[in-house]
Amino acid sequence: MHSVARRVSVSLFNSAYLRRQLWIAATSTSPSLTTAVQQCATHIQTVLHNQSNAKPSPEKHQQSPGSCFILVSQSYSARDVEQMVSRLRNQLGNIGTNMRIAGTAVDQVFSEGGNTSKSGLSVLYHATDPSSNDSGSLQAIPFYIGDMHGRQRLREAAVGRWHNSITDRFNDHRSRIRWIDGHSSVTQAASHIQLPPELGDAVANPSSVELILMAADRESRQVADVLDSHFPMAYKLGIVGSQTPFLNGREYTILGDDEVRSSGVIGFAFVRSRGKTVPASTHDATNCLRVRYPNLEAISDTLQIKRSKGNVVLEVENGEAARTLIANIRKRQIDAGSAFDNRLFARISTNNDNSDSAVLQVTGGDPAKGGLAIDTTRDIEQGYFIQFMMATD
């Protein structure tokens, strides 16, 4: 999961994998959340209406209930944000009464032009196309994973919250962390999370889960690991929301069907019904989902990693990793002469064309020893490739 919500843009493409599904993206940057909800709902309804009218007569199909994944900026009032789910459901009431909604509050949303806006609402709507007659269609299963499922609070408390024995659970959980016996990684610990029934007992065939879309607080790593373990073949796409103590007193604002929560991971698991599968060539992730980083700029060539340990890159082909990064930062400052926000990122890939890569934050470095710490629980192996990046604003 990328931890900077406002810098990630997600695009869905009309590939062979998605043509049997209805994916509709709607965004409004209205300063009024009520208006933003109306505009997004109107756009979704208009697309559905046009799609229905395009069907050959006399075949008309009743639209099946869908799901909405939402991102809302925290520029709106606390009351409007917490009432938004019910307002969106009411606006989309003519589509179906069983609309399922999940999402979170973020700093900014992307407008249709690809720019960021401090005020806005983004909605990704999904439903199975009833006209496809596809018995193996994707069905969205809503889920929520929180502390009651064994998730531990391993990171510091939210900004604006007082540290004490009640609100800061780190010390309570630290003593219960157990390392996996004989595991070669220095970055991964055992998981205590139990999947909720909707993802456990209800999913008879784990390989039928093809896509997991989720919104989370900062304790998302444990959940991502357990989902990887249970559903290794599923594509997973998530976003970490913004902390909202000054909006509504909540650590985070996690939006769901039945309530607004202050923590946890919420989302949808898209399950292929009746055990039907799609050939790999048609549902390859590169044909379906793409994550763009329009505010990040490469400041180095793609370099091969010569030495690493866990999540620490020690040496690249040009020398020590930290010194190489510092040299590229200085060169970028001299060439561009523009300011940046002091956050550094690294694109890690298994090959030098970046076709299979992930962009992760550089969390620390030691110029004396040359090491760079990368924000990941996965081991970065010798022979991987790295490209350093910086934010452009």
Side-chain angles (χ1 to χ4, degrees):
M1 284 189 184
H2 198 282
S3 60
V4 188
R6 67 176 183 269
R7 299 190 186 281
V8 180
S9 175
V10 179
S11 301
L12 285 167
F13 294 87
N14 189 27
S15 66
Y17 171 57
L18 297 178
R19 277 196 285 268
R20 287 180 295 272
Q21 316 297 321
L22 296 175
W23 296 88
I24 304 172
T27 299
S28 171
T29 56
S30 171
S32 166
L33 186 53
T34 300
T35 302
V37 170
Q38 291 174 345
Q39 291 176 344
C40 289
T42 299
H43 176 75
I44 293 171
Q45 291 167 333
T46 300
V47 173
L48 290 175
H49 177 74
N50 294 338
Q51 189 268 351
S52 177
N53 287 341
K55 300 300 177 184
S57 182
E59 291 188 20
K60 297 291 181 180
H61 302 274
Q62 177 65 35
Q63 179 60 43
S64 59
S67 57
C68 287
F69 186 79
I70 57 176
L71 301 176
V72 58
S73 66
Q74 58 173 317
S75 59
Y76 302 114
S77 70
R79 180 176 180 180
D80 283 346
V81 169
E82 300 205 0
Q83 292 180 348
M84 186 199 59
V85 170
S86 60
R87 288 178 179 175
L88 181 60
R89 181 178 286 107
N90 291 337
Q91 290 287 331
L92 296 175
N94 63 327
I95 297 177
T97 57
N98 296 322
M99 182 70 61
R100 293 157 294 191
I101 299 176
T104 187
V106 295
D107 287 341
Q108 300 179 17
V109 299
F110 276 93
S111 64
E112 293 183 358
N115 300 316
T116 57
S117 173
K118 293 183 178 180
S119 294
L121 170 66
S122 291
V123 180
L124 178 63
Y125 171 85
H126 166 269
T128 300
D129 184 355
S131 67
S132 65
N133 296 319
D134 185 2
S135 61
S137 60
L138 287 178
Q139 303 295 328
I141 298 178
F143 69 89
Y144 171 78
I145 300 175
D147 295 345
M148 73 284 293
H149 300 105
R151 195 186 68 147
Q152 301 173 354
R153 297 293 189 97
L154 303 178
R155 306 186 73 170
E156 64 267 26
V159 60
R161 295 176 66 87
W162 183 258
H163 287 258
N164 57 46
S165 59
I166 297 176
T167 61
D168 189 355
R169 308 181 191 179
F170 177 78
N171 290 328
D172 295 335
H173 292 295
R174 181 170 54 186
S175 61
R176 289 185 283 166
I177 300 173
R178 299 192 304 272
W179 294 96
I180 302 175
D181 292 337
H183 202 290
S184 61
S185 172
V186 298
T187 58
Q188 292 182 333
S191 174
H192 303 273
I193 295 178
Q194 297 294 322
L195 289 180
E198 56 268 28
L199 289 183
D201 299 338
V203 180
N205 181 12
S207 63
S208 65
V209 179
E210 297 191 0
L211 171 66
I212 298 177
L213 187 62
M214 50 193 163
D217 61 10
R218 69 187 310 158
E219 300 287 354
S220 59
R221 287 272 175 74
Q222 304 160 69
V223 176
D225 284 344
V226 77
L227 291 176
D228 276 340
S229 175
H230 283 79
F231 310 110
M233 303 304 295
Y235 304 127
K236 302 165 190 75
L237 183 63
I239 189 166
V240 175
S242 300
Q243 294 175 297
T244 58
F246 303 115
L247 170 67
N248 51 15
R250 297 181 181 273
E251 187 175 358
Y252 289 82
T253 300
I254 307 296
L255 303 166
D257 284 330
D258 53 350
E259 63 179 301
V260 180
R261 297 178 173 91
S262 299
S263 63
V265 178
I266 196 167
F268 298 104
F270 293 90
V271 182
R272 181 71 58 180
S273 63
R274 301 190 185 180
K276 184 172 180 179
T277 59
V278 175
S281 60
T282 64
H283 81 279
D284 183 21
T286 58
N287 295 327
C288 306
L289 295 171
R290 180 177 297 171
V291 180
R292 298 187 296 113
Y293 302 88
N295 297 97
L296 296 184
E297 172 187 318
I299 61 171
S300 77
D301 296 330
T302 300
L303 307 170
Q304 189 172 38
I305 297 173
K306 296 297 186 181
R307 196 160 54 94
S308 61
K309 180 69 172 178
N311 68 321
V312 178
V313 179
L314 297 170
E315 185 179 351
V316 296
E317 60 187 73
N318 287 357
E320 293 179 347
R323 293 182 182 276
T324 301
L325 175 57
I326 292 172
N328 280 281
I329 292 173
R330 289 173 176 168
K331 183 177 184 301
R332 192 265 188 185
Q333 291 174 319
I334 293 172
D335 292 346
S338 57
F340 57 95
D341 68 359
N342 294 321
R343 287 183 301 173
L344 302 170
F345 299 84
R347 184 197 299 273
I348 306 294
S349 57
T350 57
N351 48 62
N352 60 4
D353 62 3
N354 292 327
S355 59
D356 179 16
S357 64
V359 176
L360 307 165
Q361 191 164 3
V362 178
T363 56
D366 185 349
K369 296 182 179 180
L372 287 176
I374 308 298
D375 188 16
T376 179
T377 58
R378 306 290 184 184
D379 286 350
I380 300 174
E381 298 182 13
Q382 178 181 332
Y384 280 11
F385 292 84
I386 187 170
Q387 183 180 43
F388 299 116
M389 311 180 79
M390 293 173 60
T392 58
D393 63 346

